[in-house]
Amino acid sequence: MNLIRPLAAALLVGLASQASASSLVGTSDAIFDGLRGSSNAISDATSSLRDDKVIRAARDDAASFVASAGAIRGAQLEAALQTLRQRDPASLASDMQLAEAVLVR
């Protein structure tokens, strides 16, 4: 009987310390996941603003492209087309359709 009590106490201490360590790991994971999510949201917002600036800057080039039936391709339009294609890689829109979309924005 005397041996059972110390073993039971050691087992309880072991289980309690393991639960405490697991709790600490879970808490720190939750905190870091939250920070990572916030960082990603800020990064997405910043890149979205930068992308919108690229697209707005391409309006004149897009107008020239559309007016010339695709003969005039400015550097700003090329940057905007690349940005739009990166946003939606599955899109099958032609350069003319994307240039018209730049004009509408």
Side-chain angles (χ1 to χ4, degrees):
M1 285 275 192
N2 289 340
L3 185 59
I4 293 177
R5 280 190 174 177
L7 287 176
L11 180 65
L12 286 176
V13 168
L15 290 175
S17 65
Q18 185 177 6
S20 176
S22 296
S23 174
L24 177 62
V25 169
T27 302
S28 62
D29 284 348
I31 290 170
F32 288 122
D33 286 346
L35 290 174
R36 187 178 318 124
S38 297
S39 173
N40 288 342
I42 290 169
S43 176
D44 290 346
T46 304
S47 65
S48 177
L49 289 173
R50 182 180 63 244
D51 292 348
D52 287 343
K53 286 180 182 179
V54 168
I55 292 169
R56 278 184 286 162
R59 291 193 74 182
D60 288 341
D61 283 358
S64 297
F65 181 80
V66 171
S68 69
I72 301 173
R73 297 179 73 96
Q76 291 177 331
L77 176 62
E78 291 296 331
L81 293 176
Q82 183 180 8
T83 297
L84 291 170
R85 292 202 192 283
Q86 286 175 348
R87 279 187 188 172
D88 187 10
S91 173
L92 299 176
S94 69
D95 288 351
M96 184 62 72
Q97 290 170 326
L98 291 175
E100 289 170 349
V102 168
L103 288 173
V104 172
R105 284 187 180 199

